[in-house]
Amino acid sequence: QVQLQQSGPRLVEPSQTLSLTCVISVDSVSSASAAWNWIRQSPSRGLEWLGATYYRSKWYTGYADSVKSRIIINPDTSKNQFSLLLNSVTPEDAAVYYCVRSTGAFDHWGQGTLVTVSS
Amino acid sequence: QSVLTQPPSASGTPRQRVTISCSGSRSNIGSNTVSWYQHLPGTAPQLLIFSDNQRPSGVPDRFSGSKSGTSASLAISGLQSEDEAVYYCAAWDDSLSGRWVFGGGTKLTVL
């Protein structure tokens, strides 16, 4: 059973960078049939896809236009994990963040990290 | 404002059949497959339906999905108390740079 284990700070100061990591078990970040996504959920914005990274002979990333200027999703093959960096955060970025595997649909989710943006 | 439109709430009594709708457009539901998720409080969403009408192993056959044009539906038959949850639809959207889009969620209450 694929497992995704998230880690990272739950409190981020405004204008700083949100950083989360997702360790993958029983699958590979280099899988040719999966994509590795970050999705967030907040009362005001509902479920929002932020972006993904995937390997198809080479690495690709795709980002939502809403965060494109502030986001980086990086795979780390040595640790079989992927990460989220979201810079210049504001209170609007407060949400539960999930790392999620997709193989046509979002079939495995991390446990979620509630991130608060506050000084 | 979610790209896919779902009713905010639905309800039914035990053993009843309920359906939840999800309305989109040509660039998402009209062009790509729909998936459905069940979200219980304090847990991560769980995949219920993929590719419009396919169930992952372990999902009871009480759950079924369908799609027509730019709309999709989730049906739950033989409603049980443990089905009380929030249900979301999702699809890939070909507009802009391409992105996944979700419905706003439907809170199902088992009366």
Side-chain angles (χ1 to χ4, degrees):
Chain A
Q1 173 80 332
V2 174
Q3 292 192 354
L4 303 175
Q5 183 66 39
Q6 301 176 216
S7 62
R10 296 173 182 268
L11 178 63
V12 184
E13 294 187 2
S15 79
Q16 297 302 302
T17 298
L18 183 160
S19 175
L20 296 173
T21 298
C22 183
V23 177
I24 303 163
S25 301
V26 196
D27 199 350
S28 170
V29 71
S30 305
S31 167
S33 59
W36 305 96
N37 303 262
W38 287 97
I39 292 170
R40 68 183 178 184
Q41 183 174 32
S42 65
S44 60
R45 302 167 78 102
L47 283 169
E48 181 183 14
W49 176 79
L50 299 177
T53 186
Y54 55 97
Y55 186 76
R56 303 288 186 269
S57 301
K58 69 174 186 176
W59 287 102
Y60 295 87
T61 53
Y63 301 127
D65 285 346
S66 60
V67 294
K68 199 170 201 173
S69 62
R70 304 191 288 130
I71 189 173
I72 297 173
I73 295 177
N74 270 332
D76 183 341
T77 57
S78 66
K79 296 180 180 178
N80 202 31
Q81 64 185 34
F82 63 109
S83 61
L84 167 69
L85 294 174
L86 184 67
N87 60 41
S88 304
V89 299
T90 71
E92 284 211 345
D93 294 310
V96 178
Y97 286 75
Y98 295 100
C99 59
V100 190
R101 187 185 84 162
S102 61
T103 55
F106 300 113
D107 56 7
H108 288 87
W109 296 64
Q111 79 273 25
T113 301
L114 175 59
V115 175
T116 301
V117 178
S118 174
S119 54
Chain B
Q1 187 86 356
S2 299
V3 174
L4 305 181
T5 301
Q6 298 180 237
S9 63
S11 63
T13 56
R15 296 178 299 282
Q16 197 173 23
R17 182 177 187 270
V18 297
T19 61
I20 296 171
S21 63
C22 175
S23 177
S25 66
R26 191 160 46 184
S27 64
N28 41 67
I29 293 177
S31 305
N32 300 291
T33 61
V34 176
S35 50
W36 289 89
Y37 304 85
Q38 179 189 61
H39 195 191
L40 296 165
T43 69
Q46 178 186 352
L47 178 63
L48 278 182
I49 298 288
F50 66 96
S51 296
D52 300 335
N53 55 20
Q54 302 298 301
R55 281 186 310 276
S57 61
V59 173
D61 60 6
R62 302 187 296 106
F63 294 90
S64 62
S66 63
K67 187 177 85 172
S68 177
T70 59
S71 293
S73 292
L74 173 70
I76 309 172
S77 59
L79 200 60
Q80 300 179 3
S81 58
E82 56 261 39
D83 298 334
E84 189 162 292
V86 180
Y87 293 85
Y88 295 92
C89 57
W92 179 259
D93 190 296
D94 294 327
S95 64
L96 303 175
S97 307
R99 56 178 176 157
W100 282 96
V101 293
F102 292 91
T106 299
K107 167 63 176 171
L108 174 64
T109 300
V110 181
L111 302 169

